[in-house]
């Protein structure tokens, strides 16, 4: 399910740490990795030369840090607008997963500061794993999936089950939040999946592959509750779906409304205290 991974590196090392941690999981061991660094256009040829040299060193350091079998890793150094190039390379290699670092900027800040990760997520339909600069990457044992009746949530479930197969002592945490937009919250509690049809279906799917599950629930504003649950339950990786509601004619345009609006996935991307894997389904 994840055979080709695109790792976009900037020199900070967070995305590299995430990939190295993923590579410890049995389901990812054989995946091929393409490490990409993008050199933005410069105003002078001297500056461009310096940036190319710097980019080559960033790629070399990343590959050395990953310490992968040479047959499993390749590198690309390319010039252009980073957000466009990442999407282009992901399409060229037909990537199953994009891994990037993220500064965790708020919505309006993201567009004003030209956030690369935010634009890539808006423009690509491929699963994307974001690692904020202030996140400590841990060995992945506890994976949380925010479940509802959407196709994107089911896609997240499939990804989580795939990742956790054959991981000893792992746990898939399934959550279904009861929305209360007034902000009134409840305790995070365990729930019998038989009392919740969405969770019951998810548990049945996980059990097919021998993945251990735990079902929890709480009420409140969904984005806030998902982040709170992830932190309270010491989650190592959080998966959340984001259906693409844009018409096909607008696929090349950034969804301004969702950049500055109340997008659930955007809230979680910014506020979660663990790495976040965003999965999108195309309308």
């Amino acid at each position: 399910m994840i055979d080709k991974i695109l790792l976009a590196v900037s020199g900070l090392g967070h995305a590299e740490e995430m990939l190295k941690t993923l590579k410890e999981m049995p389901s990812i061991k054989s995946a091929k990795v393409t490490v990409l660094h993008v050199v933005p256009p410069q105003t002078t040829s001297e500056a461009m030369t310096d940036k190319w040299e710097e980019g080559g060193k960033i790629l070399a350091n990343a590959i050395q840090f990953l310490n992968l079998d040479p047959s499993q890793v390749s590198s690309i150094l390319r010039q252009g607008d980073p957000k466009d190039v990442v999407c282009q390379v992901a399409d060229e290699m037909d990537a199953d997963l994009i891994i990037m670092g993220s500064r965790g900027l708020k919505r309006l800040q993201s567009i004003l500061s030209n956030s690369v990760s935010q634009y890539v997520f808006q423009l690509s339909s491929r699963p994307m794993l974001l690692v904020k600069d202030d996140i400590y990457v841990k060995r992945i044992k506890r994976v949380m999936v925010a479940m509802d009746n959407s196709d994107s949530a089911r896609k997240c479930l499939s990804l989580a089950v795939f990742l956790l197969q054959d991981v000893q002592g792992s746990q898939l945490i399934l959550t279904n939040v009861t929305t209360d937009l007034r902000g009134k919250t409840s305790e995070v509690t365990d729930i019998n999946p038989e009392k919740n049809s969405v969770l019951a279906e998810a548990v049945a799917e996980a059990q097919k592959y021998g993945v251990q599950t735990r079902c929890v629930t709480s009420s409140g504003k969904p984005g806030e509750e998902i982040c709170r649950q992830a932190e309270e339950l010491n989650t190592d990786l959080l998966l959340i779906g984001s259906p693409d509601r844009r018409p096909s004619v607008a696929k090349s345009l950034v969804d301004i409304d969702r950049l500055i609006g109340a997008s659930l996935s955007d809230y979680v991307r910014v506020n979660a205290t663990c790495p976040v894997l965003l999965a999108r389904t195309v309308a």
Side-chain angles (χ1 to χ4, degrees):
M1 194 170 187
I2 298 179
D3 296 319
K4 290 175 283 187
I5 298 174
L6 175 60
L7 175 68
V9 298
S10 62
L12 295 177
H14 298 88
E16 293 94 313
E17 289 180 15
M18 189 74 249
L19 188 278
K20 197 166 187 176
T21 299
L22 277 179
K23 270 291 190 176
E24 295 176 358
M25 307 181 79
S27 58
I28 302 294
K29 280 188 180 296
S30 62
K32 300 293 180 67
V33 177
T34 298
V35 184
L36 168 70
H37 179 72
V38 183
V39 178
Q42 303 296 310
T43 55
T44 66
S45 58
E46 291 81 3
M48 195 69 241
T49 299
D50 290 342
K51 282 295 183 181
W52 272 103
E53 291 180 356
E54 179 186 345
K57 292 177 181 177
I58 289 173
L59 278 179
N61 290 338
I63 290 175
Q64 182 179 18
F65 175 80
L66 293 171
N67 192 29
L68 297 176
D69 184 323
S71 66
Q72 289 189 332
V73 63
S74 60
S75 63
I76 296 177
L77 181 62
R78 191 171 292 186
Q79 179 184 345
D81 187 328
K83 63 180 183 293
D84 293 330
V85 173
V86 171
C87 292
Q88 290 167 5
V89 173
D91 288 342
E92 288 171 11
M93 61 177 285
D94 194 20
D96 301 309
L97 178 67
I98 301 170
I99 302 178
M100 295 184 68
S102 169
R103 288 172 291 168
L105 298 174
K106 303 297 183 182
R107 299 179 187 92
L108 189 54
Q109 286 179 295
S110 290
I111 188 169
L112 294 178
S113 66
N114 201 26
S115 168
V116 175
S117 62
Q118 175 65 6
Y119 272 79
V120 171
F121 174 57
Q122 289 291 327
L123 297 176
S124 177
S125 60
R126 302 175 188 277
M128 182 174 177
L129 205 170
L130 292 177
V131 191
K132 289 193 298 182
D133 293 348
D134 58 350
I135 290 296
Y136 176 71
V137 177
K138 300 179 292 183
R139 189 177 182 186
I140 298 173
K141 289 281 191 177
R142 289 172 299 277
V143 174
M144 174 179 281
V145 177
M147 290 301 305
D148 55 25
N149 284 314
S150 68
D151 289 338
S152 56
R154 283 187 279 270
K155 184 173 183 178
C156 285
L157 174 65
S158 296
L159 284 168
V161 169
F162 170 80
L163 289 172
L164 290 179
Q165 287 182 66
D166 302 320
V167 177
Q168 297 298 317
S170 64
Q171 184 180 61
L172 173 59
I173 303 170
L174 302 166
T175 180
N176 183 230
V177 175
T178 301
T179 302
D180 188 333
L181 296 180
R182 298 169 300 175
K184 186 177 180 179
T185 62
S186 67
E187 294 296 320
V188 179
T189 58
D190 287 82
I191 182 175
N192 186 331
E194 294 179 359
K195 297 182 178 180
N196 184 302
S197 60
V198 172
L199 296 182
E201 181 180 338
V203 168
E205 181 65 20
Q207 287 178 340
K208 293 179 185 177
Y209 301 92
V211 175
Q212 297 299 310
T213 60
R214 177 183 179 184
C215 297
V216 299
T217 187
S218 67
S219 64
K221 295 180 179 179
E224 295 177 9
E225 284 305 297
I226 291 169
C227 290
R228 178 167 72 100
Q229 290 178 4
E231 184 169 16
E232 286 190 16
L233 300 175
N234 199 23
T235 301
D236 303 320
L237 177 65
L238 171 61
L239 283 77
I240 186 166
S242 177
D244 190 346
R245 294 180 292 272
R246 291 171 296 166
S248 57
V249 294
K251 295 299 181 185
S252 63
L253 304 175
V254 173
D255 192 338
I256 302 299
D257 179 61
R258 290 211 285 165
L259 272 171
I260 62 176
S263 163
L264 172 61
S265 58
D266 196 49
Y267 181 92
V268 172
R269 172 190 68 85
V270 170
N271 293 283
T273 56
C274 64
V276 177
L277 198 163
L278 299 151
R280 166 159 288 163
T281 52
V282 180

